[in-house]
Amino acid sequence: MTGTPDKTLLDHLKRRIALDGPITIADFMNEALAHPEHGYYRKQDPFGRKGDFITAPEISQMFGELIGLWAAVTWQQMGSPRKVNLVELGPGRGTLMADALRAVRNVPGLSDALTVRFVETSPVLRTHQQTAIMPYGIPATWHEAFDEIPAGGNSPMIVIGNEFFDALPIRQFERASHGWSERLVGVDANTGELGFVRGAETPVTDALVPATLRGTAKSGDIFESCPAAIAIADQVARRLNEVGGAALFIDYGHPHSAFGDTLQALKDHKYHPILEQPGDADLTAHVDFAAIGRAMLEADARIGAVLTQGTFLRMLGIEQRAELLKENADDAQAGSIDAALARLIDADQMGTLFKVLIGYGRETAPPPCVSGAEG
Ligand code: SAH
C-alpha cells in the first residue's frame, strides 16, 4: 500500500520494548499483523494486483472452483450428510469461497446442506467476504477463532485454509555454543531503531525444536516454530475426529522440518525490511508441514502425504478445466487463462513452493487426493 508510513505502531513497539525489554518475534508479528487498530490485517485490504501480494484464488477462478469440487466429493464420500459446515480459515476477500460455492451449485442436495463458517479477525475483510458470497444464498457466520465455531448438532466439517498458516506468528531459536537462544526484537541503543537481539541461552524443549533435528544442529542454525499453527492443527484434528470430515491446508512451505530463517516482509509486491514500518507490510514465514501433520497425528486424526500445489491441482483436473474455459474465450482471454494456469502449477512459479496437506477424521473415508498420493 502507498501513502504516508504509519509511525504509531512503531512508536508503540519502541515504548513497549523500553518498558519490558526485547520481545519475541511472535509478539512482534502479532502486533504488526493483528494490532486492533494498526495491525496490517486490521486496517486494509492487502490483496490483489493493487495490494502487496496476490494469492492463488485471486489469480484464477479455477483455484476456488476445484477446491469446491474437492469439498463436494469429500461430502459425497461421507454419505452426503444432511448438514455440513464448510469452514474457511483466513478467507481474505472471500474469492475462494465464492468460486467454490458457484462450482458446487448444481451438486444435488449440497447447497441445502451447507453452512459457511468463516474464521476471520479483520472487520474490513469480513465485509468483503459477505459481499463475495451474497449471490449464492448460503447461510454464513463469522468467528474470531476456529475453536469458537459451535458444535452445531455435530454436523461434519470440511475445513479449508489457503495462505492462512503463513501469517501466524513464529518464534525463532538459534543454536548457540551451549544451548539455544531465542531471536528477539529489541531497540538498538545507538540508533534508537528496532533490531534483532539474542536472548539468553537456554535448553530447548521438544515442543519447540524436534529432538530429531536438535542432534544435527550447528552453531548459528535457526529453527522456526509456529505455536499458533500447531494449536489450530490440533483443534481441527480433534474436531474432525468428533464430528467427521476433512481439512485442506495450502501454503508455501516445506514438507520436512528444517533449519532456516524464512521470515519475510512484503510491501507493494516487493521484499521489505522486516522491522521497518510494522503494520504497513505483510509478514510471513514458510509453513512447516511436517509439524502440522505431526500435530494432527498426535491428536489421532489421519493425514495424506504432503503434495505440491502443482500435483494437487493437476489431480483435480485443472488442465482440463482450463481447456474448457478457453472454448468460450477470445484470444486475449485464452492467453490469460494459460498464464494463470502456468502461475498456479508450474514448478518455477507456485507449483512447487506451495504445498498441500489433507487431514481427516479417524472415522472418515480418505478424501480425494489422499489415496494414491504416496510415492
Ligand atoms: N485465503 C486468502 C487470504 C490469505 S491472507 C487468500 O488465499 O487470498 C491471510 C488471511 O488470514 C486474511 O484473511 C487475514 O485477515 C486472516 N488472518 C490472519 N491472522 C488471522 C488469525 N489469527 N485468525 C483469523 N484470521 C486471520
Side-chain angles (χ1 to χ4, degrees):
M1 303 270 132
T2 48
T4 337
D6 180 357
K7 287 270 193 193
T8 337
L9 190 57
L10 188 60
D11 291 338
H12 159 75
L13 282 164
K14 287 181 185 173
R15 272 196 307 276
R16 180 174 166 189
I17 293 167
L19 283 173
D20 300 342
I23 58 174
T24 64
I25 290 176
D27 284 340
F28 174 79
M29 286 181 80
N30 230 338
E31 296 256 32
L33 298 178
H35 184 282
E37 263 175 87
H38 308 290
Y40 181 76
Y41 283 114
R42 297 297 176 104
K43 61 178 187 187
Q44 59 208 336
D45 171 5
F47 302 102
R49 285 167 207 286
K50 290 197 216 77
D52 291 318
F53 53 91
I54 181 163
T55 55
E58 306 295 336
I59 291 172
S60 165
Q61 65 183 78
M62 296 186 286
F63 189 78
E65 288 170 350
L66 291 170
I67 289 175
L69 295 174
W70 175 88
V73 176
T74 300
W75 173 73
Q76 285 170 338
Q77 288 183 359
M78 289 192 287
S80 307
R82 213 173 47 80
K83 290 282 164 211
V84 63
N85 287 306
L86 183 56
V87 178
E88 188 178 359
L89 308 176
R93 281 185 176 171
T95 311
L96 189 161
M97 187 58 82
D99 291 335
L101 293 179
R102 192 181 55 255
V104 305
R105 248 180 335 187
N106 298 325
V107 175
L110 182 52
S111 293
D112 291 336
L114 277 176
T115 303
V116 169
R117 311 278 192 186
F118 286 124
V119 177
E120 174 62 67
T121 43
S122 154
V124 181
L125 292 175
R126 283 183 178 202
T127 10
H128 278 290
Q129 293 151 16
Q130 189 168 21
T131 311
I133 64 159
M134 199 105 72
Y136 307 102
I138 304 288
T141 59
W142 278 261
H143 307 270
E144 281 293 308
F146 176 80
D147 60 0
E148 288 177 17
I149 300 175
N154 283 339
S155 311
M157 198 172 249
I158 298 174
V159 183
I160 294 161
N162 184 60
E163 291 211 47
F164 171 70
F165 285 127
D166 69 5
L168 298 180
I170 59 154
R171 294 173 67 180
Q172 287 188 337
F173 298 92
E174 188 174 330
R175 176 74 197 167
S177 39
H178 300 296
W180 292 79
S181 71
E182 183 155 12
R183 254 184 122 205
L184 302 170
V185 179
V187 174
D188 186 305
N190 297 321
T191 62
E193 295 305 323
L194 297 184
F196 289 108
V197 294
R198 289 240 217 104
E201 285 190 32
T202 48
V204 150
T205 62
D206 259 8
L208 297 173
V209 182
T212 45
L213 272 182
R214 264 185 281 145
T216 64
K218 297 184 302 298
S219 176
D221 277 346
I222 289 178
F223 187 77
E224 296 178 336
S225 103
C226 186
I230 306 291
I232 293 168
D234 173 72
Q235 290 163 7
V236 170
R238 285 170 199 280
R239 193 66 83 89
L240 296 179
N241 278 343
E242 274 163 38
V243 299
L248 172 67
F249 300 127
I250 306 175
D251 232 304
Y252 81 117
H254 36 272
H256 306 291
S257 300
F259 294 116
D261 170 12
T262 73
L263 182 62
Q264 66 175 38
L266 268 190
K267 189 166 151 54
D268 302 326
H269 297 268
K270 289 194 219 55
Y271 292 110
H272 192 76
I274 289 164
L275 302 178
E276 255 175 47
Q277 289 177 259
D280 287 339
D282 187 35
L283 290 174
T284 58
H286 281 217
V287 172
D288 180 347
F289 279 94
I292 298 206
R294 259 195 317 272
M296 297 193 85
L297 288 175
E298 278 167 17
D300 199 27
R302 309 287 178 258
I303 58 171
V306 176
L307 304 173
T308 64
Q309 175 169 299
T311 301
F312 172 70
L313 292 175
R314 283 196 184 90
M315 284 170 94
L316 293 178
I318 194 168
E319 286 151 324
Q320 294 84 329
R321 179 81 193 120
E323 285 309 311
L324 209 68
L325 285 175
K326 275 158 61 179
E327 280 175 14
N328 298 313
D330 62 29
D331 284 353
Q333 288 166 332
S336 28
I337 294 168
D338 281 336
L341 177 67
R343 192 133 180 220
L344 291 175
I345 66 175
D346 280 5
D348 59 349
Q349 306 212 37
M350 296 172 82
T352 305
L353 178 59
F354 279 73
K355 308 287 188 309
V356 176
L357 178 70
I358 295 169
Y360 52 106
R362 64 175 169 227
E363 285 167 25
T364 304
C369 305
V370 168
S371 49
E374 283 76 14

mmCIF file of all heavy atoms in Angstrom, residues 147-187:
data_model
loop_
_atom_site.group_PDB
_atom_site.id
_atom_site.type_symbol
_atom_site.label_atom_id
_atom_site.label_comp_id
_atom_site.label_asym_id
_atom_site.label_seq_id
_atom_site.Cartn_x
_atom_site.Cartn_y
_atom_site.Cartn_z
ATOM 1 N N ASP A 147 -11.728 -22.441 17.336
ATOM 2 C CA ASP A 147 -12.386 -23.135 18.454
ATOM 3 C C ASP A 147 -13.627 -22.402 18.960
ATOM 4 O O ASP A 147 -14.283 -22.870 19.883
ATOM 5 C CB ASP A 147 -11.395 -23.442 19.600
ATOM 6 C CG ASP A 147 -10.774 -22.189 20.171
ATOM 7 O OD1 ASP A 147 -11.102 -21.084 19.695
ATOM 8 O OD2 ASP A 147 -9.961 -22.311 21.108
ATOM 9 N N GLU A 148 -13.961 -21.265 18.332
ATOM 10 C CA GLU A 148 -15.222 -20.607 18.687
ATOM 11 C C GLU A 148 -16.380 -21.039 17.786
ATOM 12 O O GLU A 148 -17.514 -20.609 17.978
ATOM 13 C CB GLU A 148 -15.055 -19.089 18.633
ATOM 14 C CG GLU A 148 -14.206 -18.601 19.794
ATOM 15 C CD GLU A 148 -13.947 -17.104 19.751
ATOM 16 O OE1 GLU A 148 -14.658 -16.379 19.039
ATOM 17 O OE2 GLU A 148 -13.003 -16.692 20.442
ATOM 18 N N ILE A 149 -16.107 -21.899 16.811
ATOM 19 C CA ILE A 149 -17.197 -22.395 15.961
ATOM 20 C C ILE A 149 -18.022 -23.380 16.796
ATOM 21 O O ILE A 149 -17.476 -24.338 17.328
ATOM 22 C CB ILE A 149 -16.660 -23.099 14.700
ATOM 23 C CG1 ILE A 149 -15.819 -22.116 13.886
ATOM 24 C CG2 ILE A 149 -17.797 -23.664 13.868
ATOM 25 C CD1 ILE A 149 -15.144 -22.750 12.678
ATOM 26 N N PRO A 150 -19.333 -23.129 16.921
ATOM 27 C CA PRO A 150 -20.145 -24.002 17.771
ATOM 28 C C PRO A 150 -20.250 -25.410 17.186
ATOM 29 O O PRO A 150 -20.140 -25.598 15.974
ATOM 30 C CB PRO A 150 -21.517 -23.317 17.789
ATOM 31 C CG PRO A 150 -21.534 -22.415 16.606
ATOM 32 C CD PRO A 150 -20.119 -22.059 16.294
ATOM 33 N N ALA A 151 -20.465 -26.384 18.062
ATOM 34 C CA ALA A 151 -20.549 -27.776 17.619
ATOM 35 C C ALA A 151 -21.701 -27.966 16.636
ATOM 36 O O ALA A 151 -21.626 -28.806 15.745
ATOM 37 C CB ALA A 151 -20.710 -28.699 18.821
ATOM 38 N N GLY A 152 -22.760 -27.165 16.755
ATOM 39 C CA GLY A 152 -23.843 -27.152 15.745
ATOM 40 C C GLY A 152 -24.444 -28.512 15.444
ATOM 41 O O GLY A 152 -24.489 -28.921 14.298
ATOM 42 N N GLY A 153 -24.909 -29.210 16.475
ATOM 43 C CA GLY A 153 -25.558 -30.505 16.255
ATOM 44 C C GLY A 153 -24.604 -31.538 15.696
ATOM 45 O O GLY A 153 -25.018 -32.491 15.054
ATOM 46 N N ASN A 154 -23.322 -31.327 15.939
ATOM 47 C CA ASN A 154 -22.307 -32.282 15.497
ATOM 48 C C ASN A 154 -22.309 -32.562 14.004
ATOM 49 O O ASN A 154 -22.006 -33.671 13.580
ATOM 50 C CB ASN A 154 -22.434 -33.601 16.267
ATOM 51 C CG ASN A 154 -21.855 -33.451 17.663
ATOM 52 O OD1 ASN A 154 -21.048 -32.551 17.892
ATOM 53 N ND2 ASN A 154 -22.272 -34.305 18.567
ATOM 54 N N SER A 155 -22.669 -31.563 13.209
ATOM 55 C CA SER A 155 -22.580 -31.759 11.759
ATOM 56 C C SER A 155 -21.120 -31.918 11.372
ATOM 57 O O SER A 155 -20.249 -31.285 11.965
ATOM 58 C CB SER A 155 -23.115 -30.540 11.011
ATOM 59 O OG SER A 155 -24.350 -30.167 11.515
ATOM 60 N N PRO A 156 -20.841 -32.750 10.362
ATOM 61 C CA PRO A 156 -19.457 -32.888 9.913
ATOM 62 C C PRO A 156 -18.914 -31.576 9.355
ATOM 63 O O PRO A 156 -19.670 -30.644 9.085
ATOM 64 C CB PRO A 156 -19.519 -33.951 8.822
ATOM 65 C CG PRO A 156 -20.943 -34.174 8.529
ATOM 66 C CD PRO A 156 -21.751 -33.625 9.647
ATOM 67 N N MET A 157 -17.621 -31.553 9.181
ATOM 68 C CA MET A 157 -16.963 -30.303 8.884
ATOM 69 C C MET A 157 -15.943 -30.491 7.764
ATOM 70 O O MET A 157 -15.203 -31.479 7.757
ATOM 71 C CB MET A 157 -16.235 -29.911 10.166
ATOM 72 C CG MET A 157 -15.842 -28.494 10.256
ATOM 73 S SD MET A 157 -15.206 -28.190 11.919
ATOM 74 C CE MET A 157 -16.491 -27.137 12.560
ATOM 75 N N ILE A 158 -15.922 -29.549 6.833
ATOM 76 C CA ILE A 158 -14.855 -29.521 5.829
ATOM 77 C C ILE A 158 -14.137 -28.186 6.006
ATOM 78 O O ILE A 158 -14.774 -27.135 5.966
ATOM 79 C CB ILE A 158 -15.425 -29.685 4.410
ATOM 80 C CG1 ILE A 158 -16.109 -31.063 4.296
ATOM 81 C CG2 ILE A 158 -14.314 -29.531 3.361
ATOM 82 C CD1 ILE A 158 -16.838 -31.303 2.997
ATOM 83 N N VAL A 159 -12.847 -28.258 6.276
ATOM 84 C CA VAL A 159 -12.078 -27.058 6.622
ATOM 85 C C VAL A 159 -11.100 -26.738 5.491
ATOM 86 O O VAL A 159 -10.406 -27.629 5.005
ATOM 87 C CB VAL A 159 -11.272 -27.294 7.928
ATOM 88 C CG1 VAL A 159 -10.518 -26.033 8.339
ATOM 89 C CG2 VAL A 159 -12.185 -27.771 9.050
ATOM 90 N N ILE A 160 -11.061 -25.479 5.098
ATOM 91 C CA ILE A 160 -10.134 -25.052 4.046
ATOM 92 C C ILE A 160 -9.297 -23.894 4.568
ATOM 93 O O ILE A 160 -9.824 -23.001 5.237
ATOM 94 C CB ILE A 160 -10.922 -24.605 2.794
ATOM 95 C CG1 ILE A 160 -11.649 -25.798 2.186
ATOM 96 C CG2 ILE A 160 -10.005 -23.969 1.760
ATOM 97 C CD1 ILE A 160 -12.765 -25.398 1.276
ATOM 98 N N GLY A 161 -8.005 -23.918 4.286
ATOM 99 C CA GLY A 161 -7.167 -22.771 4.650
ATOM 100 C C GLY A 161 -6.114 -22.551 3.586
ATOM 101 O O GLY A 161 -5.235 -23.395 3.404
ATOM 102 N N ASN A 162 -6.217 -21.456 2.859
ATOM 103 C CA ASN A 162 -5.195 -21.129 1.865
ATOM 104 C C ASN A 162 -4.400 -19.923 2.347
ATOM 105 O O ASN A 162 -4.979 -18.874 2.632
ATOM 106 C CB ASN A 162 -5.843 -20.801 0.511
ATOM 107 C CG ASN A 162 -4.792 -20.550 -0.567
ATOM 108 O OD1 ASN A 162 -3.985 -21.441 -0.868
ATOM 109 N ND2 ASN A 162 -4.759 -19.352 -1.115
ATOM 110 N N GLU A 163 -3.106 -20.054 2.426
ATOM 111 C CA GLU A 163 -2.236 -18.978 2.933
ATOM 112 C C GLU A 163 -2.750 -18.423 4.256
ATOM 113 O O GLU A 163 -2.865 -17.216 4.433
ATOM 114 C CB GLU A 163 -2.087 -17.869 1.890
ATOM 115 C CG GLU A 163 -1.291 -18.345 0.688
ATOM 116 C CD GLU A 163 -0.501 -17.228 0.038
ATOM 117 O OE1 GLU A 163 0.153 -16.481 0.769
ATOM 118 O OE2 GLU A 163 -0.532 -17.141 -1.199
ATOM 119 N N PHE A 164 -3.123 -19.324 5.149
ATOM 120 C CA PHE A 164 -3.555 -18.922 6.485
ATOM 121 C C PHE A 164 -2.411 -19.112 7.487
ATOM 122 O O PHE A 164 -2.047 -18.197 8.212
ATOM 123 C CB PHE A 164 -4.772 -19.745 6.895
ATOM 124 C CG PHE A 164 -5.158 -19.556 8.331
ATOM 125 C CD1 PHE A 164 -5.705 -18.351 8.757
ATOM 126 C CD2 PHE A 164 -4.963 -20.571 9.264
ATOM 127 C CE1 PHE A 164 -6.052 -18.160 10.092
ATOM 128 C CE2 PHE A 164 -5.311 -20.389 10.591
ATOM 129 C CZ PHE A 164 -5.859 -19.187 11.011
ATOM 130 N N PHE A 165 -1.811 -20.293 7.493
ATOM 131 C CA PHE A 165 -0.765 -20.585 8.479
ATOM 132 C C PHE A 165 0.451 -19.665 8.324
ATOM 133 O O PHE A 165 1.102 -19.334 9.308
ATOM 134 C CB PHE A 165 -0.314 -22.041 8.369
ATOM 135 C CG PHE A 165 -1.301 -23.021 8.949
ATOM 136 C CD1 PHE A 165 -1.761 -24.097 8.202
ATOM 137 C CD2 PHE A 165 -1.763 -22.883 10.244
ATOM 138 C CE1 PHE A 165 -2.665 -25.005 8.732
ATOM 139 C CE2 PHE A 165 -2.661 -23.787 10.794
ATOM 140 C CZ PHE A 165 -3.116 -24.847 10.033
ATOM 141 N N ASP A 166 0.749 -19.252 7.081
ATOM 142 C CA ASP A 166 1.978 -18.459 6.876
ATOM 143 C C ASP A 166 1.897 -17.084 7.542
ATOM 144 O O ASP A 166 2.908 -16.410 7.701
ATOM 145 C CB ASP A 166 2.340 -18.347 5.389
ATOM 146 C CG ASP A 166 1.365 -17.491 4.585
ATOM 147 O OD1 ASP A 166 0.456 -16.889 5.178
ATOM 148 O OD2 ASP A 166 1.515 -17.423 3.355
ATOM 149 N N ALA A 167 0.673 -16.660 7.900
ATOM 150 C CA ALA A 167 0.519 -15.340 8.514
ATOM 151 C C ALA A 167 0.510 -15.428 10.043
ATOM 152 O O ALA A 167 0.375 -14.412 10.717
ATOM 153 C CB ALA A 167 -0.786 -14.701 8.030
ATOM 154 N N LEU A 168 0.635 -16.641 10.580
ATOM 155 C CA LEU A 168 0.583 -16.767 12.049
ATOM 156 C C LEU A 168 1.979 -16.550 12.639
ATOM 157 O O LEU A 168 2.986 -16.880 12.014
ATOM 158 C CB LEU A 168 0.046 -18.153 12.429
ATOM 159 C CG LEU A 168 -1.390 -18.436 11.955
ATOM 160 C CD1 LEU A 168 -1.827 -19.837 12.381
ATOM 161 C CD2 LEU A 168 -2.383 -17.402 12.475
ATOM 162 N N PRO A 169 2.029 -15.993 13.847
ATOM 163 C CA PRO A 169 3.314 -15.604 14.451
ATOM 164 C C PRO A 169 4.246 -16.785 14.725
ATOM 165 O O PRO A 169 3.815 -17.808 15.257
ATOM 166 C CB PRO A 169 2.903 -14.961 15.779
ATOM 167 C CG PRO A 169 1.462 -14.640 15.650
ATOM 168 C CD PRO A 169 0.885 -15.613 14.681
ATOM 169 N N ILE A 170 5.500 -16.634 14.349
ATOM 170 C CA ILE A 170 6.503 -17.674 14.612
ATOM 171 C C ILE A 170 7.491 -17.215 15.689
ATOM 172 O O ILE A 170 7.650 -16.019 15.935
ATOM 173 C CB ILE A 170 7.318 -18.034 13.350
ATOM 174 C CG1 ILE A 170 8.039 -16.791 12.807
ATOM 175 C CG2 ILE A 170 6.449 -18.674 12.301
ATOM 176 C CD1 ILE A 170 9.285 -17.123 12.028
ATOM 177 N N ARG A 171 8.167 -18.179 16.295
ATOM 178 C CA ARG A 171 9.323 -17.891 17.154
ATOM 179 C C ARG A 171 10.557 -18.465 16.458
ATOM 180 O O ARG A 171 10.461 -19.455 15.736
ATOM 181 C CB ARG A 171 9.133 -18.548 18.521
ATOM 182 C CG ARG A 171 7.966 -17.953 19.293
ATOM 183 C CD ARG A 171 7.668 -18.713 20.552
ATOM 184 N NE ARG A 171 8.755 -18.587 21.545
ATOM 185 C CZ ARG A 171 8.710 -19.175 22.747
ATOM 186 N NH1 ARG A 171 7.682 -19.918 23.105
ATOM 187 N NH2 ARG A 171 9.712 -19.018 23.586
ATOM 188 N N GLN A 172 11.686 -17.823 16.660
ATOM 189 C CA GLN A 172 12.943 -18.332 16.072
ATOM 190 C C GLN A 172 13.938 -18.648 17.179
ATOM 191 O O GLN A 172 14.142 -17.826 18.086
ATOM 192 C CB GLN A 172 13.569 -17.285 15.147
ATOM 193 C CG GLN A 172 12.836 -17.098 13.838
ATOM 194 C CD GLN A 172 13.606 -16.204 12.874
ATOM 195 O OE1 GLN A 172 14.439 -15.399 13.306
ATOM 196 N NE2 GLN A 172 13.341 -16.352 11.592
ATOM 197 N N PHE A 173 14.567 -19.827 17.063
ATOM 198 C CA PHE A 173 15.593 -20.242 18.023
ATOM 199 C C PHE A 173 16.900 -20.477 17.288
ATOM 200 O O PHE A 173 16.924 -21.168 16.267
ATOM 201 C CB PHE A 173 15.154 -21.520 18.740
ATOM 202 C CG PHE A 173 13.893 -21.312 19.519
ATOM 203 C CD1 PHE A 173 12.652 -21.568 18.942
ATOM 204 C CD2 PHE A 173 13.937 -20.802 20.810
ATOM 205 C CE1 PHE A 173 11.486 -21.337 19.650
ATOM 206 C CE2 PHE A 173 12.770 -20.567 21.520
ATOM 207 C CZ PHE A 173 11.544 -20.833 20.939
ATOM 208 N N GLU A 174 17.977 -19.902 17.830
ATOM 209 C CA GLU A 174 19.274 -20.043 17.170
ATOM 210 C C GLU A 174 20.176 -20.927 18.016
ATOM 211 O O GLU A 174 20.273 -20.749 19.242
ATOM 212 C CB GLU A 174 19.894 -18.651 17.005
ATOM 213 C CG GLU A 174 21.140 -18.669 16.154
ATOM 214 C CD GLU A 174 21.652 -17.252 15.884
ATOM 215 O OE1 GLU A 174 20.837 -16.314 15.826
ATOM 216 O OE2 GLU A 174 22.880 -17.112 15.758
ATOM 217 N N ARG A 175 20.821 -21.867 17.331
ATOM 218 C CA ARG A 175 21.756 -22.757 18.029
ATOM 219 C C ARG A 175 22.998 -21.935 18.422
ATOM 220 O O ARG A 175 23.652 -21.341 17.550
ATOM 221 C CB ARG A 175 22.149 -23.912 17.103
ATOM 222 C CG ARG A 175 23.184 -24.847 17.653
ATOM 223 C CD ARG A 175 22.636 -25.763 18.712
ATOM 224 N NE ARG A 175 23.751 -26.336 19.452
ATOM 225 C CZ ARG A 175 23.663 -26.981 20.585
ATOM 226 N NH1 ARG A 175 22.505 -27.144 21.173
ATOM 227 N NH2 ARG A 175 24.715 -27.467 21.175
ATOM 228 N N ALA A 176 23.283 -21.871 19.720
ATOM 229 C CA ALA A 176 24.442 -21.115 20.204
ATOM 230 C C ALA A 176 25.496 -22.110 20.660
ATOM 231 O O ALA A 176 25.337 -23.316 20.477
ATOM 232 C CB ALA A 176 24.011 -20.203 21.340
ATOM 233 N N SER A 177 26.588 -21.641 21.267
ATOM 234 C CA SER A 177 27.677 -22.576 21.579
ATOM 235 C C SER A 177 27.246 -23.653 22.575
ATOM 236 O O SER A 177 27.620 -24.808 22.442
ATOM 237 C CB SER A 177 28.897 -21.811 22.078
ATOM 238 O OG SER A 177 28.504 -20.756 22.902
ATOM 239 N N HIS A 178 26.410 -23.319 23.546
ATOM 240 C CA HIS A 178 25.998 -24.318 24.529
ATOM 241 C C HIS A 178 24.549 -24.742 24.357
ATOM 242 O O HIS A 178 24.243 -25.903 24.173
ATOM 243 C CB HIS A 178 26.242 -23.811 25.948
ATOM 244 C CG HIS A 178 27.683 -23.512 26.181
ATOM 245 N ND1 HIS A 178 28.649 -24.494 26.146
ATOM 246 C CD2 HIS A 178 28.332 -22.346 26.393
ATOM 247 C CE1 HIS A 178 29.837 -23.947 26.347
ATOM 248 N NE2 HIS A 178 29.671 -22.643 26.500
ATOM 249 N N GLY A 179 23.650 -23.799 24.364
ATOM 250 C CA GLY A 179 22.232 -24.161 24.250
ATOM 251 C C GLY A 179 21.611 -23.501 23.038
ATOM 252 O O GLY A 179 22.208 -23.472 21.962
ATOM 253 N N TRP A 180 20.438 -22.999 23.209
ATOM 254 C CA TRP A 180 19.714 -22.312 22.140
ATOM 255 C C TRP A 180 19.347 -20.938 22.658
ATOM 256 O O TRP A 180 19.020 -20.795 23.840
ATOM 257 C CB TRP A 180 18.427 -23.057 21.803
ATOM 258 C CG TRP A 180 18.670 -24.375 21.164
ATOM 259 C CD1 TRP A 180 19.022 -25.528 21.780
ATOM 260 C CD2 TRP A 180 18.574 -24.664 19.773
ATOM 261 N NE1 TRP A 180 19.161 -26.537 20.858
ATOM 262 C CE2 TRP A 180 18.882 -26.031 19.616
ATOM 263 C CE3 TRP A 180 18.260 -23.914 18.637
ATOM 264 C CZ2 TRP A 180 18.886 -26.656 18.369
ATOM 265 C CZ3 TRP A 180 18.246 -24.536 17.409
ATOM 266 C CH2 TRP A 180 18.570 -25.900 17.273
ATOM 267 N N SER A 181 19.384 -19.928 21.778
ATOM 268 C CA SER A 181 18.898 -18.645 22.254
ATOM 269 C C SER A 181 17.813 -18.158 21.309
ATOM 270 O O SER A 181 17.886 -18.353 20.091
ATOM 271 C CB SER A 181 20.031 -17.634 22.384
ATOM 272 O OG SER A 181 20.471 -17.257 21.125
ATOM 273 N N GLU A 182 16.792 -17.562 21.893
ATOM 274 C CA GLU A 182 15.679 -17.093 21.073
ATOM 275 C C GLU A 182 16.056 -15.770 20.423
ATOM 276 O O GLU A 182 16.658 -14.900 21.054
ATOM 277 C CB GLU A 182 14.413 -16.936 21.928
ATOM 278 C CG GLU A 182 13.224 -16.517 21.081
ATOM 279 C CD GLU A 182 11.865 -16.891 21.655
ATOM 280 O OE1 GLU A 182 11.798 -17.295 22.836
ATOM 281 O OE2 GLU A 182 10.869 -16.760 20.913
ATOM 282 N N ARG A 183 15.727 -15.632 19.135
ATOM 283 C CA ARG A 183 15.936 -14.341 18.453
ATOM 284 C C ARG A 183 14.808 -13.417 18.868
ATOM 285 O O ARG A 183 13.636 -13.759 18.749
ATOM 286 C CB ARG A 183 15.880 -14.546 16.947
ATOM 287 C CG ARG A 183 17.231 -14.476 16.294
ATOM 288 C CD ARG A 183 17.059 -14.602 14.800
ATOM 289 N NE ARG A 183 17.598 -13.453 14.110
ATOM 290 C CZ ARG A 183 17.199 -13.060 12.914
ATOM 291 N NH1 ARG A 183 16.222 -13.681 12.297
ATOM 292 N NH2 ARG A 183 17.761 -12.028 12.328
ATOM 293 N N LEU A 184 15.177 -12.244 19.350
ATOM 294 C CA LEU A 184 14.190 -11.307 19.880
ATOM 295 C C LEU A 184 14.276 -9.980 19.137
ATOM 296 O O LEU A 184 15.248 -9.716 18.421
ATOM 297 C CB LEU A 184 14.445 -11.075 21.375
ATOM 298 C CG LEU A 184 14.429 -12.322 22.272
ATOM 299 C CD1 LEU A 184 14.937 -11.972 23.668
ATOM 300 C CD2 LEU A 184 13.040 -12.941 22.344
ATOM 301 N N VAL A 185 13.280 -9.153 19.339
ATOM 302 C CA VAL A 185 13.297 -7.809 18.756
ATOM 303 C C VAL A 185 13.511 -6.813 19.891
ATOM 304 O O VAL A 185 12.734 -6.765 20.850
ATOM 305 C CB VAL A 185 11.976 -7.506 18.016
ATOM 306 C CG1 VAL A 185 11.999 -6.084 17.445
ATOM 307 C CG2 VAL A 185 11.744 -8.530 16.906
ATOM 308 N N GLY A 186 14.615 -6.046 19.770
ATOM 309 C CA GLY A 186 14.921 -5.035 20.779
ATOM 310 C C GLY A 186 15.100 -3.675 20.121
ATOM 311 O O GLY A 186 14.814 -3.503 18.926
ATOM 312 N N VAL A 187 15.574 -2.712 20.903
ATOM 313 C CA VAL A 187 15.856 -1.387 20.345
ATOM 314 C C VAL A 187 17.359 -1.157 20.414
ATOM 315 O O VAL A 187 17.979 -1.359 21.463
ATOM 316 C CB VAL A 187 15.109 -0.280 21.120
ATOM 317 C CG1 VAL A 187 15.534 1.102 20.622
ATOM 318 C CG2 VAL A 187 13.600 -0.447 20.969
#
